[in-house]
Short mmCIF file of all heavy atoms in Angstrom, two decimals:
data_model
loop_
_atom_site.label_atom_id
_atom_site.label_comp_id
_atom_site.label_asym_id
_atom_site.label_seq_id
_atom_site.Cartn_x
_atom_site.Cartn_y
_atom_site.Cartn_z
N MET A 1 -28.39 153.18 -32.86
CA MET A 1 -28.34 151.82 -33.39
C MET A 1 -27.56 150.93 -32.42
O MET A 1 -26.48 151.28 -31.99
CB MET A 1 -27.68 151.87 -34.76
CG MET A 1 -27.57 150.53 -35.42
SD MET A 1 -26.81 150.75 -37.05
CE MET A 1 -27.40 149.32 -37.82
N SER A 2 -28.11 149.80 -32.11
CA SER A 2 -27.44 148.88 -31.19
C SER A 2 -26.45 147.99 -31.94
O SER A 2 -26.53 147.81 -33.15
CB SER A 2 -28.47 148.03 -30.46
OG SER A 2 -29.18 147.26 -31.40
N ASP A 3 -25.51 147.46 -31.18
CA ASP A 3 -24.52 146.54 -31.76
C ASP A 3 -25.07 145.12 -31.62
O ASP A 3 -25.04 144.55 -30.55
CB ASP A 3 -23.19 146.64 -31.01
CG ASP A 3 -22.55 148.01 -31.21
OD1 ASP A 3 -22.73 148.59 -32.29
OD2 ASP A 3 -21.87 148.46 -30.29
N ASN A 4 -25.57 144.59 -32.72
CA ASN A 4 -26.17 143.25 -32.70
C ASN A 4 -25.15 142.21 -33.16
O ASN A 4 -24.27 142.49 -33.95
CB ASN A 4 -27.39 143.19 -33.61
CG ASN A 4 -28.54 144.00 -33.07
OD1 ASN A 4 -28.81 143.98 -31.89
ND2 ASN A 4 -29.23 144.70 -33.95
N VAL A 5 -25.34 141.01 -32.65
CA VAL A 5 -24.58 139.86 -33.09
C VAL A 5 -25.59 138.85 -33.60
O VAL A 5 -26.62 138.62 -32.96
CB VAL A 5 -23.74 139.24 -31.95
CG1 VAL A 5 -23.06 137.97 -32.39
CG2 VAL A 5 -22.72 140.27 -31.45
N TYR A 6 -25.33 138.27 -34.76
CA TYR A 6 -26.28 137.35 -35.39
C TYR A 6 -25.71 135.93 -35.48
O TYR A 6 -24.52 135.73 -35.64
CB TYR A 6 -26.58 137.83 -36.83
CG TYR A 6 -27.15 139.21 -36.87
CD1 TYR A 6 -26.33 140.32 -37.12
CD2 TYR A 6 -28.50 139.44 -36.67
CE1 TYR A 6 -26.84 141.58 -37.15
CE2 TYR A 6 -29.02 140.71 -36.71
CZ TYR A 6 -28.21 141.79 -36.95
OH TYR A 6 -28.71 143.04 -36.99
N LYS A 7 -26.60 135.00 -35.41
CA LYS A 7 -26.31 133.58 -35.67
C LYS A 7 -26.96 133.25 -37.01
O LYS A 7 -28.08 133.68 -37.29
CB LYS A 7 -26.89 132.71 -34.55
CG LYS A 7 -26.86 131.22 -34.81
CD LYS A 7 -25.47 130.69 -34.71
CE LYS A 7 -25.49 129.17 -34.89
NZ LYS A 7 -24.19 128.63 -35.20
N ILE A 8 -26.25 132.51 -37.87
CA ILE A 8 -26.79 132.13 -39.17
C ILE A 8 -26.98 130.64 -39.20
O ILE A 8 -26.10 129.86 -38.80
CB ILE A 8 -25.84 132.56 -40.30
CG1 ILE A 8 -25.68 134.08 -40.32
CG2 ILE A 8 -26.35 132.06 -41.64
CD1 ILE A 8 -24.61 134.58 -41.28
N THR A 9 -28.15 130.22 -39.67
CA THR A 9 -28.44 128.79 -39.83
C THR A 9 -28.98 128.58 -41.23
O THR A 9 -29.46 129.51 -41.87
CB THR A 9 -29.47 128.34 -38.77
OG1 THR A 9 -29.58 126.91 -38.82
CG2 THR A 9 -30.82 128.96 -38.96
N GLU A 10 -28.85 127.38 -41.74
CA GLU A 10 -29.38 127.06 -43.07
C GLU A 10 -30.60 126.17 -42.96
O GLU A 10 -30.66 125.26 -42.14
CB GLU A 10 -28.31 126.35 -43.92
CG GLU A 10 -27.23 127.27 -44.42
CD GLU A 10 -26.33 126.59 -45.43
OE1 GLU A 10 -26.27 125.36 -45.48
OE2 GLU A 10 -25.68 127.33 -46.18
N VAL A 11 -31.59 126.49 -43.81
CA VAL A 11 -32.81 125.68 -43.90
C VAL A 11 -33.14 125.49 -45.36
O VAL A 11 -32.71 126.26 -46.22
CB VAL A 11 -33.99 126.33 -43.16
CG1 VAL A 11 -33.73 126.46 -41.67
CG2 VAL A 11 -34.35 127.68 -43.74
N VAL A 12 -33.93 124.47 -45.66
CA VAL A 12 -34.37 124.22 -47.02
C VAL A 12 -35.89 124.22 -46.99
O VAL A 12 -36.51 123.47 -46.22
CB VAL A 12 -33.84 122.88 -47.56
CG1 VAL A 12 -34.41 122.61 -48.95
CG2 VAL A 12 -32.34 122.88 -47.61
N GLY A 13 -36.49 125.05 -47.83
CA GLY A 13 -37.95 125.08 -47.96
C GLY A 13 -38.35 124.51 -49.29
O GLY A 13 -37.58 124.55 -50.27
N SER A 14 -39.58 123.99 -49.36
CA SER A 14 -40.04 123.42 -50.63
C SER A 14 -41.50 123.81 -50.86
O SER A 14 -42.22 124.17 -49.92
CB SER A 14 -39.89 121.91 -50.65
OG SER A 14 -40.70 121.31 -49.68
N SER A 15 -41.90 123.76 -52.11
CA SER A 15 -43.27 124.09 -52.48
C SER A 15 -43.56 123.49 -53.87
O SER A 15 -42.68 123.47 -54.73
CB SER A 15 -43.48 125.61 -52.54
OG SER A 15 -44.73 125.91 -53.12
N ALA A 16 -44.77 123.08 -54.07
CA ALA A 16 -45.19 122.57 -55.37
C ALA A 16 -45.57 123.72 -56.30
O ALA A 16 -45.69 123.53 -57.50
CB ALA A 16 -46.37 121.63 -55.21
N THR A 17 -45.73 124.94 -55.75
CA THR A 17 -46.26 126.04 -56.58
C THR A 17 -45.22 127.06 -57.04
O THR A 17 -45.47 127.76 -57.99
CB THR A 17 -47.37 126.78 -55.82
OG1 THR A 17 -46.86 127.28 -54.60
CG2 THR A 17 -48.55 125.87 -55.57
N GLY A 18 -44.06 127.16 -56.36
CA GLY A 18 -43.06 128.11 -56.83
C GLY A 18 -41.98 128.42 -55.81
O GLY A 18 -42.08 128.05 -54.64
N ILE A 19 -40.97 129.13 -56.29
CA ILE A 19 -39.82 129.47 -55.45
C ILE A 19 -40.21 130.40 -54.32
O ILE A 19 -39.78 130.23 -53.19
CB ILE A 19 -38.71 130.07 -56.33
CG1 ILE A 19 -38.14 129.00 -57.25
CG2 ILE A 19 -37.60 130.69 -55.49
CD1 ILE A 19 -37.22 129.53 -58.32
N GLU A 20 -41.05 131.43 -54.62
CA GLU A 20 -41.46 132.36 -53.56
C GLU A 20 -42.21 131.65 -52.44
O GLU A 20 -42.00 131.95 -51.26
CB GLU A 20 -42.31 133.47 -54.14
CG GLU A 20 -41.50 134.43 -54.99
CD GLU A 20 -42.31 135.61 -55.51
OE1 GLU A 20 -43.50 135.73 -55.17
OE2 GLU A 20 -41.73 136.41 -56.26
N ASP A 21 -43.05 130.70 -52.78
CA ASP A 21 -43.75 129.92 -51.74
C ASP A 21 -42.80 129.06 -50.95
O ASP A 21 -42.96 128.85 -49.75
CB ASP A 21 -44.85 129.07 -52.35
CG ASP A 21 -46.07 129.88 -52.78
OD1 ASP A 21 -46.24 131.03 -52.28
OD2 ASP A 21 -46.84 129.40 -53.62
N ALA A 22 -41.78 128.51 -51.62
CA ALA A 22 -40.78 127.69 -50.92
C ALA A 22 -40.01 128.56 -49.91
O ALA A 22 -39.75 128.11 -48.78
CB ALA A 22 -39.81 127.07 -51.92
N ILE A 23 -39.68 129.78 -50.29
CA ILE A 23 -39.03 130.72 -49.36
C ILE A 23 -39.93 131.02 -48.19
O ILE A 23 -39.54 130.96 -47.04
CB ILE A 23 -38.62 132.02 -50.10
CG1 ILE A 23 -37.54 131.74 -51.12
CG2 ILE A 23 -38.16 133.07 -49.09
CD1 ILE A 23 -37.29 132.90 -52.09
N ALA A 24 -41.18 131.35 -48.49
CA ALA A 24 -42.15 131.68 -47.43
C ALA A 24 -42.35 130.50 -46.49
O ALA A 24 -42.43 130.69 -45.26
CB ALA A 24 -43.47 132.12 -48.05
N ASN A 25 -42.41 129.30 -47.01
CA ASN A 25 -42.58 128.11 -46.15
C ASN A 25 -41.38 127.94 -45.22
O ASN A 25 -41.56 127.61 -44.05
CB ASN A 25 -42.75 126.84 -47.03
CG ASN A 25 -44.09 126.83 -47.74
OD1 ASN A 25 -45.03 127.51 -47.35
ND2 ASN A 25 -44.19 126.02 -48.79
N ALA A 26 -40.19 128.14 -45.76
CA ALA A 26 -38.97 128.00 -44.93
C ALA A 26 -38.93 129.04 -43.81
O ALA A 26 -38.67 128.71 -42.65
CB ALA A 26 -37.73 128.11 -45.80
N VAL A 27 -39.22 130.29 -44.16
CA VAL A 27 -39.19 131.36 -43.16
C VAL A 27 -40.28 131.16 -42.12
O VAL A 27 -40.04 131.30 -40.91
CB VAL A 27 -39.30 132.75 -43.84
CG1 VAL A 27 -39.50 133.84 -42.79
CG2 VAL A 27 -38.06 133.04 -44.69
N ASN A 28 -41.47 130.78 -42.58
CA ASN A 28 -42.57 130.57 -41.64
C ASN A 28 -42.27 129.47 -40.65
O ASN A 28 -42.47 129.61 -39.44
CB ASN A 28 -43.86 130.25 -42.42
CG ASN A 28 -45.07 130.09 -41.53
OD1 ASN A 28 -45.26 130.86 -40.60
ND2 ASN A 28 -45.86 129.10 -41.82
N LYS A 29 -41.74 128.36 -41.15
CA LYS A 29 -41.42 127.23 -40.26
C LYS A 29 -40.29 127.59 -39.29
O LYS A 29 -40.35 127.27 -38.10
CB LYS A 29 -41.01 126.02 -41.12
CG LYS A 29 -40.86 124.74 -40.32
CD LYS A 29 -42.18 124.24 -39.81
CE LYS A 29 -42.06 122.85 -39.29
NZ LYS A 29 -43.35 122.28 -38.92
N ALA A 30 -39.24 128.25 -39.81
CA ALA A 30 -38.12 128.66 -38.94
C ALA A 30 -38.59 129.61 -37.84
O ALA A 30 -38.11 129.55 -36.71
CB ALA A 30 -37.03 129.31 -39.78
N SER A 31 -39.55 130.48 -38.16
CA SER A 31 -40.02 131.45 -37.17
C SER A 31 -40.80 130.80 -36.01
O SER A 31 -40.97 131.43 -34.98
CB SER A 31 -40.90 132.52 -37.85
OG SER A 31 -42.16 131.98 -38.22
N LYS A 32 -41.19 129.57 -36.18
CA LYS A 32 -41.90 128.86 -35.12
C LYS A 32 -40.95 128.35 -34.03
O LYS A 32 -41.38 128.09 -32.90
CB LYS A 32 -42.73 127.74 -35.68
CG LYS A 32 -43.87 128.24 -36.54
CD LYS A 32 -44.69 127.10 -37.10
CE LYS A 32 -45.61 127.59 -38.15
NZ LYS A 32 -46.91 127.95 -37.87
N THR A 33 -39.66 128.18 -34.37
CA THR A 33 -38.71 127.65 -33.38
C THR A 33 -37.54 128.58 -33.11
O THR A 33 -36.82 128.37 -32.15
CB THR A 33 -38.17 126.26 -33.83
OG1 THR A 33 -37.53 126.42 -35.09
CG2 THR A 33 -39.26 125.24 -33.92
N LEU A 34 -37.32 129.58 -33.98
CA LEU A 34 -36.25 130.53 -33.77
C LEU A 34 -36.84 131.91 -33.49
O LEU A 34 -37.81 132.29 -34.15
CB LEU A 34 -35.35 130.61 -35.01
CG LEU A 34 -34.64 129.32 -35.43
CD1 LEU A 34 -33.97 129.51 -36.79
CD2 LEU A 34 -33.64 128.90 -34.38
N ARG A 35 -36.22 132.62 -32.56
CA ARG A 35 -36.71 133.98 -32.23
C ARG A 35 -35.82 135.02 -32.91
O ARG A 35 -34.68 134.76 -33.26
CB ARG A 35 -36.67 134.20 -30.72
CG ARG A 35 -37.61 133.30 -29.96
CD ARG A 35 -37.66 133.69 -28.49
NE ARG A 35 -36.30 133.71 -27.92
CZ ARG A 35 -35.88 132.88 -27.00
NH1 ARG A 35 -36.65 131.95 -26.55
NH2 ARG A 35 -34.66 132.98 -26.52
N GLU A 36 -36.37 136.20 -33.06
CA GLU A 36 -35.62 137.36 -33.54
C GLU A 36 -35.01 137.18 -34.94
O GLU A 36 -33.87 137.58 -35.18
CB GLU A 36 -34.53 137.77 -32.54
CG GLU A 36 -35.03 138.02 -31.13
CD GLU A 36 -35.97 139.21 -31.03
OE1 GLU A 36 -35.85 140.14 -31.84
OE2 GLU A 36 -36.82 139.21 -30.15
N LEU A 37 -35.76 136.53 -35.84
CA LEU A 37 -35.28 136.40 -37.21
C LEU A 37 -35.13 137.81 -37.82
O LEU A 37 -35.97 138.66 -37.62
CB LEU A 37 -36.27 135.59 -38.07
CG LEU A 37 -36.45 134.14 -37.70
CD1 LEU A 37 -37.43 133.48 -38.66
CD2 LEU A 37 -35.15 133.40 -37.67
N ARG A 38 -34.05 138.01 -38.58
CA ARG A 38 -33.77 139.35 -39.11
C ARG A 38 -33.64 139.39 -40.62
O ARG A 38 -34.09 140.35 -41.23
CB ARG A 38 -32.46 139.88 -38.49
CG ARG A 38 -32.56 140.14 -37.02
CD ARG A 38 -33.57 141.21 -36.74
NE ARG A 38 -33.68 141.42 -35.32
CZ ARG A 38 -34.79 141.70 -34.69
NH1 ARG A 38 -35.90 141.83 -35.34
NH2 ARG A 38 -34.80 141.88 -33.39
N TRP A 39 -33.00 138.40 -41.24
CA TRP A 39 -32.84 138.43 -42.68
C TRP A 39 -32.62 137.03 -43.22
O TRP A 39 -32.32 136.11 -42.47
CB TRP A 39 -31.71 139.39 -43.12
CG TRP A 39 -30.37 139.11 -42.52
CD1 TRP A 39 -29.84 139.72 -41.42
CD2 TRP A 39 -29.36 138.19 -42.96
NE1 TRP A 39 -28.59 139.24 -41.16
CE2 TRP A 39 -28.28 138.29 -42.09
CE3 TRP A 39 -29.29 137.29 -44.01
CZ2 TRP A 39 -27.12 137.53 -42.24
CZ3 TRP A 39 -28.14 136.53 -44.15
CH2 TRP A 39 -27.07 136.68 -43.28
N PHE A 40 -32.78 136.90 -44.54
CA PHE A 40 -32.48 135.64 -45.20
C PHE A 40 -31.76 135.89 -46.50
O PHE A 40 -31.83 136.99 -47.06
CB PHE A 40 -33.75 134.80 -45.45
CG PHE A 40 -34.65 135.34 -46.51
CD1 PHE A 40 -34.47 134.95 -47.82
CD2 PHE A 40 -35.67 136.21 -46.22
CE1 PHE A 40 -35.29 135.44 -48.84
CE2 PHE A 40 -36.49 136.72 -47.20
CZ PHE A 40 -36.32 136.31 -48.51
N GLU A 41 -31.06 134.87 -46.96
CA GLU A 41 -30.38 134.93 -48.26
C GLU A 41 -30.60 133.59 -48.94
O GLU A 41 -30.38 132.52 -48.37
CB GLU A 41 -28.87 135.13 -48.02
CG GLU A 41 -28.04 135.07 -49.27
CD GLU A 41 -26.53 135.15 -48.98
OE1 GLU A 41 -26.16 135.34 -47.81
OE2 GLU A 41 -25.75 135.02 -49.94
N VAL A 42 -31.08 133.64 -50.17
CA VAL A 42 -31.24 132.41 -50.96
C VAL A 42 -29.86 132.05 -51.50
O VAL A 42 -29.24 132.82 -52.20
CB VAL A 42 -32.23 132.60 -52.11
CG1 VAL A 42 -32.31 131.34 -52.97
CG2 VAL A 42 -33.62 132.97 -51.59
N VAL A 43 -29.39 130.86 -51.15
CA VAL A 43 -28.04 130.44 -51.57
C VAL A 43 -28.08 129.34 -52.64
O VAL A 43 -27.06 129.09 -53.30
CB VAL A 43 -27.17 129.99 -50.37
CG1 VAL A 43 -26.89 131.16 -49.46
CG2 VAL A 43 -27.80 128.85 -49.61
N GLU A 44 -29.23 128.71 -52.79
CA GLU A 44 -29.32 127.65 -53.80
C GLU A 44 -30.79 127.42 -54.14
O GLU A 44 -31.65 127.48 -53.27
CB GLU A 44 -28.72 126.36 -53.24
CG GLU A 44 -28.63 125.22 -54.18
CD GLU A 44 -27.97 124.02 -53.54
OE1 GLU A 44 -26.95 124.19 -52.86
OE2 GLU A 44 -28.50 122.90 -53.71
N THR A 45 -31.06 127.18 -55.42
CA THR A 45 -32.39 126.77 -55.83
C THR A 45 -32.28 125.45 -56.60
O THR A 45 -31.30 125.22 -57.32
CB THR A 45 -33.07 127.82 -56.72
OG1 THR A 45 -32.22 128.06 -57.88
CG2 THR A 45 -33.30 129.12 -56.00
N SER A 46 -33.26 124.62 -56.40
CA SER A 46 -33.29 123.33 -57.09
C SER A 46 -34.73 122.86 -57.15
O SER A 46 -35.65 123.54 -56.67
CB SER A 46 -32.40 122.31 -56.36
OG SER A 46 -32.87 122.11 -55.05
N GLY A 47 -34.94 121.72 -57.72
CA GLY A 47 -36.30 121.20 -57.84
C GLY A 47 -36.29 119.73 -58.20
O GLY A 47 -35.24 119.12 -58.40
N HIS A 48 -37.48 119.22 -58.28
CA HIS A 48 -37.69 117.80 -58.58
C HIS A 48 -38.56 117.73 -59.84
O HIS A 48 -39.55 118.45 -59.95
CB HIS A 48 -38.37 117.13 -57.41
CG HIS A 48 -38.59 115.68 -57.60
ND1 HIS A 48 -37.59 114.75 -57.47
CD2 HIS A 48 -39.69 114.97 -57.93
CE1 HIS A 48 -38.07 113.53 -57.71
NE2 HIS A 48 -39.34 113.64 -57.99
N ILE A 49 -38.19 116.87 -60.77
CA ILE A 49 -38.94 116.72 -61.99
C ILE A 49 -39.69 115.39 -61.96
O ILE A 49 -39.13 114.34 -61.63
CB ILE A 49 -37.99 116.73 -63.22
CG1 ILE A 49 -37.27 118.08 -63.29
CG2 ILE A 49 -38.78 116.47 -64.51
CD1 ILE A 49 -36.15 118.12 -64.30
N GLU A 50 -40.98 115.48 -62.26
CA GLU A 50 -41.84 114.28 -62.30
C GLU A 50 -42.57 114.23 -63.63
O GLU A 50 -43.32 115.17 -63.97
CB GLU A 50 -42.85 114.34 -61.14
CG GLU A 50 -42.23 114.30 -59.78
CD GLU A 50 -43.26 114.49 -58.66
OE1 GLU A 50 -44.44 114.74 -58.97
OE2 GLU A 50 -42.85 114.41 -57.49
N GLY A 51 -42.34 113.19 -64.39
CA GLY A 51 -43.06 113.04 -65.67
C GLY A 51 -42.79 114.17 -66.66
O GLY A 51 -43.69 114.58 -67.38
N GLY A 52 -41.57 114.70 -66.63
CA GLY A 52 -41.23 115.78 -67.55
C GLY A 52 -41.70 117.15 -67.12
O GLY A 52 -41.53 118.11 -67.85
N LYS A 53 -42.29 117.26 -65.93
CA LYS A 53 -42.78 118.55 -65.41
C LYS A 53 -42.17 118.80 -64.03
O LYS A 53 -41.75 117.88 -63.35
CB LYS A 53 -44.32 118.53 -65.33
CG LYS A 53 -44.98 118.39 -66.67
CD LYS A 53 -46.47 118.45 -66.52
CE LYS A 53 -47.12 118.30 -67.90
NZ LYS A 53 -48.57 118.37 -67.79
N ILE A 54 -42.22 120.05 -63.65
CA ILE A 54 -41.72 120.38 -62.31
C ILE A 54 -42.67 119.84 -61.24
O ILE A 54 -43.86 120.13 -61.24
CB ILE A 54 -41.59 121.92 -62.14
CG1 ILE A 54 -40.55 122.46 -63.13
CG2 ILE A 54 -41.23 122.29 -60.70
CD1 ILE A 54 -40.46 123.96 -63.18
N GLY A 55 -42.11 118.99 -60.36
CA GLY A 55 -42.90 118.42 -59.28
C GLY A 55 -42.92 119.33 -58.07
O GLY A 55 -43.97 119.53 -57.45
N HIS A 56 -41.76 119.87 -57.72
CA HIS A 56 -41.70 120.86 -56.63
C HIS A 56 -40.38 121.61 -56.71
O HIS A 56 -39.43 121.18 -57.34
CB HIS A 56 -41.90 120.22 -55.26
CG HIS A 56 -40.78 119.35 -54.80
ND1 HIS A 56 -40.69 118.01 -55.13
CD2 HIS A 56 -39.67 119.61 -54.06
CE1 HIS A 56 -39.58 117.49 -54.60
NE2 HIS A 56 -38.93 118.45 -53.95
N TYR A 57 -40.39 122.77 -56.07
CA TYR A 57 -39.23 123.63 -55.99
C TYR A 57 -38.60 123.54 -54.61
O TYR A 57 -39.30 123.34 -53.64
CB TYR A 57 -39.65 125.10 -56.22
CG TYR A 57 -40.33 125.35 -57.54
CD1 TYR A 57 -41.70 125.14 -57.68
CD2 TYR A 57 -39.61 125.80 -58.64
CE1 TYR A 57 -42.33 125.37 -58.90
CE2 TYR A 57 -40.25 126.03 -59.84
CZ TYR A 57 -41.59 125.82 -59.97
OH TYR A 57 -42.22 126.05 -61.16
N GLN A 58 -37.29 123.70 -54.56
CA GLN A 58 -36.56 123.75 -53.28
C GLN A 58 -35.66 124.95 -53.26
O GLN A 58 -35.07 125.30 -54.28
CB GLN A 58 -35.72 122.50 -53.07
CG GLN A 58 -36.51 121.24 -52.79
CD GLN A 58 -35.58 120.09 -52.51
OE1 GLN A 58 -34.65 119.81 -53.28
NE2 GLN A 58 -35.83 119.40 -51.41
N VAL A 59 -35.56 125.57 -52.11
CA VAL A 59 -34.60 126.69 -51.93
C VAL A 59 -33.84 126.46 -50.64
O VAL A 59 -34.41 126.05 -49.63
CB VAL A 59 -35.29 128.07 -51.88
CG1 VAL A 59 -35.90 128.42 -53.22
CG2 VAL A 59 -36.34 128.14 -50.79
N LYS A 60 -32.54 126.68 -50.69
CA LYS A 60 -31.71 126.65 -49.48
C LYS A 60 -31.52 128.09 -49.06
O LYS A 60 -31.11 128.93 -49.88
CB LYS A 60 -30.37 126.00 -49.73
CG LYS A 60 -29.51 125.91 -48.48
CD LYS A 60 -28.11 125.43 -48.75
CE LYS A 60 -28.09 123.97 -49.15
NZ LYS A 60 -26.69 123.48 -49.33
N LEU A 61 -31.83 128.38 -47.82
CA LEU A 61 -31.71 129.74 -47.28
C LEU A 61 -30.72 129.78 -46.14
O LEU A 61 -30.66 128.83 -45.34
CB LEU A 61 -33.05 130.22 -46.71
CG LEU A 61 -34.28 130.23 -47.57
CD1 LEU A 61 -35.48 130.65 -46.74
CD2 LEU A 61 -34.11 131.11 -48.75
N LYS A 62 -30.00 130.88 -46.05
CA LYS A 62 -29.29 131.24 -44.82
C LYS A 62 -30.24 132.20 -44.12
O LYS A 62 -30.69 133.17 -44.70
CB LYS A 62 -27.97 131.93 -45.11
CG LYS A 62 -26.90 131.05 -45.66
CD LYS A 62 -25.62 131.79 -45.83
CE LYS A 62 -24.53 130.89 -46.36
NZ LYS A 62 -23.26 131.63 -46.55
N ILE A 63 -30.56 131.88 -42.88
CA ILE A 63 -31.45 132.73 -42.08
C ILE A 63 -30.65 133.21 -40.87
O ILE A 63 -30.02 132.40 -40.17
CB ILE A 63 -32.72 132.00 -41.63
CG1 ILE A 63 -33.54 131.61 -42.86
CG2 ILE A 63 -33.53 132.85 -40.66
CD1 ILE A 63 -34.86 130.93 -42.52
N ALA A 64 -30.70 134.50 -40.62
CA ALA A 64 -29.98 135.07 -39.48
C ALA A 64 -30.96 135.51 -38.42
O ALA A 64 -32.02 136.06 -38.72
CB ALA A 64 -29.12 136.26 -39.94
N PHE A 65 -30.56 135.32 -37.16
CA PHE A 65 -31.35 135.81 -36.04
C PHE A 65 -30.42 136.45 -35.03
O PHE A 65 -29.23 136.11 -34.95
CB PHE A 65 -32.20 134.70 -35.42
CG PHE A 65 -31.43 133.50 -34.98
CD1 PHE A 65 -31.00 133.36 -33.68
CD2 PHE A 65 -31.17 132.47 -35.86
CE1 PHE A 65 -30.30 132.24 -33.25
CE2 PHE A 65 -30.47 131.32 -35.45
CZ PHE A 65 -30.04 131.23 -34.14
N THR A 66 -30.96 137.39 -34.30
CA THR A 66 -30.20 138.13 -33.29
C THR A 66 -29.97 137.26 -32.08
O THR A 66 -30.89 136.62 -31.56
CB THR A 66 -30.94 139.40 -32.87
OG1 THR A 66 -31.26 140.17 -34.02
CG2 THR A 66 -30.12 140.26 -31.94
N LEU A 67 -28.73 137.22 -31.59
CA LEU A 67 -28.44 136.53 -30.33
C LEU A 67 -28.86 137.41 -29.17
O LEU A 67 -28.66 138.63 -29.21
CB LEU A 67 -26.93 136.21 -30.24
CG LEU A 67 -26.44 135.17 -31.25
CD1 LEU A 67 -24.93 135.00 -31.10
CD2 LEU A 67 -27.13 133.84 -31.11
N GLU A 68 -29.40 136.80 -28.16
CA GLU A 68 -29.83 137.53 -26.98
C GLU A 68 -28.68 137.79 -26.03
O GLU A 68 -27.73 137.06 -25.99
CB GLU A 68 -30.95 136.79 -26.25
CG GLU A 68 -32.18 136.64 -27.12
CD GLU A 68 -33.26 135.82 -26.45
OE1 GLU A 68 -33.01 135.16 -25.41
OE2 GLU A 68 -34.36 135.84 -26.96
#
């Protein structure tokens, strides 16, 4: 096992369909600009209400990637 060092950044993902999709959207987008993603942690969930119904979901993630 190698000795890795990680950098942690926070991102917020959103989705009109659910929390899992909001997480997937955040990880997918982060993977386009960050290399060596390793893990994520959901630190906050929230959403927007429109007309008495859920308009969209938001999740704040800590995402870690390996430093080169």
Side-chain angles (χ1 to χ4, degrees):
M1 180 178 203
S2 62
D3 295 328
N4 291 319
V5 175
Y6 301 96
K7 171 73 176 163
I8 298 172
T9 189
E10 285 189 340
V11 298
V12 176
S14 64
S15 170
T17 57
I19 292 170
E20 289 183 4
D21 286 340
I23 293 167
N25 290 341
V27 171
N28 183 43
K29 188 70 168 185
S31 72
K32 293 180 192 266
T33 58
L34 299 172
R35 295 188 306 247
E36 305 296 331
L37 295 182
R38 295 296 179 216
W39 56 265
F40 72 89
E41 174 185 356
V42 176
V43 295
E44 185 178 315
T45 57
S46 60
H48 182 77
I49 299 170
E50 296 174 356
K53 296 183 180 180
I54 296 172
H56 70 273
Y57 301 85
Q58 288 183 309
V59 293
K60 182 187 290 184
L61 304 176
K62 288 183 179 179
I63 295 183
F65 56 94
T66 306
L67 293 177
E68 297 176 349

